[in-house]
């Protein structure tokens, strides 16, 4: 029902983001989604990948500050307005959406990654609207 | 239970104390002007004559002495009497610059030991106590000062000096020591060793400890009190004025009573030298009122603290000083406000941050900027921007409340602040580069 996201603290200094993404690439971490949020001072790199425990371990050993969070992945169709539909369902159930970003896989199509304040309530509300959130394995 | 060594002084009324101070100061300034050429020159340069000093209200007219003066006048330039009248030398370790060498006449030694006796009695010491002195002996003032004070009170004195901790604890047990005097870090170490030896605080007869000669925190106090089963008291002093016993804590543990019949205290603005009113924070300045061998007038200690005449429950009327909050050398003036790195550190630790931080001060468009970078801990890192920016804001607000000026806070990754010799570099003042 939910997937594990790794967040990596990135200082807003030249080369810091590249350092992190290079690290991910060189450790054969199979990425499914990646997003970056930043302010003037720092950024948070968020990734969805295969075997998140192992990837998190590697990042920590590499000296990165990380945290793991459970987020939802909801399939999204090509039709216009499908993201709006998801957000509306969540809003009607009083779920607060902290952030969203997209995940694409050739095999499985597009997903929205949703960071909400209550995964269970959100997943139930989406299920009620015929949108089935998926598990980690379904993304790979 | 009140316990005073010299109640007539320790509990004197303000008028009585002023009378003592006035009389001593007038005499002392005259004696110093006559005997100490170095200080006479300073007074002449300032155009101050001994007759200009009629009471302690005139104190501000006198020139300051600083550590640099002590260096310039080394070794005999500030001697206040003939060497043949002196009986003792004590000295500092001299870690910064040249060491301080202070001379004592027998009267100076007696006065100093009496100050220490007041401190011992203030923690409940009597002639029935066994006082273990685990400060270093020798040129360092800690051992000799408390040793002398312990004799004056009539305690059975154990001149242990520091080190050989298991033997210290053995003596404590065999001879039933009730009071321990040493540095706070050594007290903490003794506490750990007691535990390692499989002993409990109840296995010792200790009831009180007098700890000084280095900075220590309230948290250290609690730990020492717990590990040794005692009440832990602070004591303050410096070789330049005599040694430990310039001020001491009483049972209230809310600051140290200054032996102001011997050491007249002032708080000044470290930048302007202006005397500040009671209750304001600034640099502590001492005038020795009756020292003969090494009579320093208006000596700038570089310690930043606050004085208070608030009534104390112990019955002593001696003015109290706070624990030093920092060194005037570390002080920065940012947007006209005096800022000490230690103040910022206090906030960081209270808010759960690590002690790895960097303070950067600069001047942009004629305005001072204050940037504080602090390393995030893994526990503090979350995946939402909102949380992290809220943390930055909360920390900036807490620092603003402490300093009165707005800092810019930057959260950085662990281990990114450069360390030299294992310790983080704390302050970079770029304004100096522009001057
Ligand atoms: Zn008191």
């Amino acid at each position: 029902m939910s997937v594990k996201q790794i967040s990596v603290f990135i200082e807003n200094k030249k080369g810091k983001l590249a350092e992190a993404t290079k690290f991910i690439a060189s450790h054969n971490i199979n990425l499914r989604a990646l997003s970056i949020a930043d302010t003037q001072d720092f950024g948070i790199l968020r990734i969805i990948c295969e075997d998140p425990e192992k990837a998190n371990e590697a990042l920590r050993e590499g000296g990165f500050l990380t945290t793991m969070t459970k987020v939802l992945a909801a399939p999204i169709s090509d039709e216009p307005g499908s993201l709006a539909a998801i957000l509306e369902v969540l809003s009607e159930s009083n779920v607060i959406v902290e952030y969203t970003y997209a995940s694409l896989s050739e095999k499985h199509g597009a997903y929205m990654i949703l960071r909400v304040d209550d995964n269970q309530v959100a997943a139930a509300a989406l299920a009620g609207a015929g949108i089935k959130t998926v598990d980690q394995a379904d993304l790979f | 239970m009140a316990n005073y060594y010299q109640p007539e002084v320790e509990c004197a009324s303000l008028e009585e104390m002023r009378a003592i101070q006035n009389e001593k100061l007038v005499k002392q300034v005259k004696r110093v002007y006559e005997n100490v050429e170095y200080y006479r020159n300073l007074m002449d340069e300032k155009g101050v004559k001994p007759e200009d000093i009629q009471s302690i209200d005139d104190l501000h007219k006198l020139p300051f002495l600083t550590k640099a003066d002590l260096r310039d006048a080394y070794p005999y330039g500030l001697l206040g009497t003939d060497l043949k009248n002196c009986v003792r030398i004590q000295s500092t370790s001299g870690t910064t610059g040249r060491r301080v060498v202070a001379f004592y006449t027998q009267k100076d030694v007696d006065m100093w030991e009496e100050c220490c006796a007041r401190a011992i009695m203030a923690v409940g010491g009597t002639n029935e106590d066994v006082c273990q002195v685990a400060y270093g002996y020798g040129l360092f003032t800690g051992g000799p000062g408390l040793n002398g004070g312990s004799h004056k009170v009539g305690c059975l004195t154990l001149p242990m000096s520091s080190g050989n901790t298991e033997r210290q604890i053995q003596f404590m047990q065999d001879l039933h020591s009730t009071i321990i005097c040493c540095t706070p870090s050594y007290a903490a170490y003794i506490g750990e060793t007691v535990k390692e030896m499989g002993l409990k605080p109840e296995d010792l007869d200790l009831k009180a400890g007098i700890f000084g000669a280095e900075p220590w925190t309230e948290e250290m106090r609690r730990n020492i009190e717990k590990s040794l089963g005692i009440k832990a008291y602070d004591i303050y002093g410096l070789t330049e004025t005599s040694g430990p016993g310039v001020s001491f804590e009483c049972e209230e543990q809310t600051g140290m009573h200054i032996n102001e019949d011997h050491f007249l205290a002032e708080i000044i603005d470290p930048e302007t030298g202006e005397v500040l009113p009671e209750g304001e924070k600034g640099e502590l300045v001492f005038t020795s009122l009756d020292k003969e061998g090494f009579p320093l007038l208006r000596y700038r200690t570089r310690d930043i603290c606050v004085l208070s005449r608030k009534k104390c429950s112990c019955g002593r009327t001696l003015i109290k000083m706070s624990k030093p909050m920092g060194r005037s050398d570390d002080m920065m003036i940012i947007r006209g406000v005096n800022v000490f790195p230690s103040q910022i550190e206090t906030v960081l630790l209270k808010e759960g941050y690590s002690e790895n931080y960097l303070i950067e001060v600069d001047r942009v468009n004629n305005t001072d900027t204050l940037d504080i970078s602090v390393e995030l801990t893994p526990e503090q890192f979350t995946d939402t921007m909102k949380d992290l920016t809220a943390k930055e804001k909360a920390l900036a607000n807490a620092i603003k409340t402490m300093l009165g000026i707005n800092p810019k806070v930057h959260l950085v990754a662990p281990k990114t602040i450069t360390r030299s010799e294992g310790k983080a570099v704390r302050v970079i003042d770029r304004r100096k580069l522009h001057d």
Side-chain angles (χ1 to χ4, degrees), chain B residues 107-122:
Chain B
K107 205 177 137 226
D108 292 339
V109 173
D110 285 336
M111 178 272 279
W112 173 27
E113 291 179 353
E114 279 169 14
C115 289
C116 289
R118 291 181 191 174
I120 292 170
M121 287 195 70

Side-chain angles (χ1 to χ4, degrees), chain B residues 104-367:
Chain B
Y104 301 70
T105 63
Q106 186 56 49
K107 205 177 137 226
D108 292 339
V109 173
D110 285 336
M111 178 272 279
W112 173 27
E113 291 179 353
E114 279 169 14
C115 289
C116 289
R118 291 181 191 174
I120 292 170
M121 287 195 70
V123 308
T126 68
N127 59 7
E128 288 179 16
D129 280 292
V130 178
C131 181
Q132 185 159 341
V133 181
Y135 274 113
Y137 279 66
L139 284 171
F140 173 56
T141 53
L146 270 309
N147 189 93
S150 176
H151 278 216
K152 286 235 169 3
V153 173
C155 303
L156 177 59
T157 310
L158 270 64
M160 300 293 293
S161 196
S162 55
N164 206 338
T165 309
E166 294 202 2
R167 190 184 64 183
Q168 298 265 8
I169 296 166
Q170 194 68 56
F171 265 87
M172 258 174 216
Q173 285 189 286
D174 295 351
L175 294 165
H176 308 285
S177 306
T178 51
I179 298 175
I180 171 88
C181 309
C182 60
T183 61
S185 53
Y186 192 50
Y189 184 73
I190 294 175
E192 283 166 29
T193 311
V194 164
K195 201 173 160 194
E196 275 166 25
M197 288 168 71
L199 296 171
K200 292 194 193 66
E202 305 86 80
D203 297 328
L204 304 172
D205 294 299
L206 289 179
K207 62 178 187 187
I210 301 177
F211 308 121
E214 62 186 27
W216 53 310
T217 60
E218 281 303 313
E219 195 190 346
M220 268 178 92
R221 189 205 298 265
R222 282 190 294 276
N223 289 340
I224 294 169
E225 290 190 331
K226 219 171 115 199
S227 68
L228 291 175
I230 59 171
K231 289 262 269 173
Y233 299 93
D234 207 351
I235 188 165
Y236 174 90
L238 54 174
T239 308
E240 291 90 322
T241 54
S242 58
V246 168
S247 65
F248 58 93
E249 251 180 358
C250 62
E251 66 227 27
E252 210 180 75
Q253 293 181 313
T254 54
M256 295 174 275
H257 288 288
I258 297 172
N259 285 313
E260 57 177 324
D261 53 324
H262 300 300
F263 308 106
L264 191 51
E266 298 170 279
I267 291 289
I268 62 160
D269 181 323
E271 275 305 299
T272 63
E274 185 195 343
V275 179
L276 300 175
E278 181 200 322
E280 280 200 34
K281 189 175 65 196
E283 183 178 348
L284 183 62
V285 174
F286 278 118
T287 295
S288 290
L289 288 173
D290 40 23
K291 280 276 291 286
E292 296 175 331
F294 204 58
L296 301 189
L297 305 184
R298 296 198 93 196
Y299 178 66
R300 294 181 59 160
T301 64
R302 299 189 293 177
D303 283 324
I304 299 294
C305 42
V306 174
L307 296 180
S308 164
R309 276 214 188 270
K310 242 184 247 152
K311 199 171 149 75
C312 187
S313 60
C314 77
R316 285 177 188 79
T317 49
L318 298 170
I319 195 165
K320 283 207 277 197
M321 61 179 266
S322 66
K323 197 185 263 297
M325 302 162 187
R327 307 282 292 167
S328 59
D329 318 7
D330 302 335
M331 190 187 80
M332 300 170 283
I333 302 181
I334 304 172
R335 285 174 232 157
V337 176
N338 297 351
V339 174
F340 299 94
S342 56
Q343 292 175 292
I344 295 172
E345 182 169 320
T346 304
V347 177
L348 292 177
L349 294 180
K350 216 174 113 205
E351 300 282 318
Y353 290 88
S354 79
E355 56 205 355
N356 292 316
Y357 60 88
L358 178 66
I359 299 168
E360 289 168 282
V361 188
D362 205 343
R363 189 170 292 139
V364 179
N365 300 327
N366 294 318
T367 305

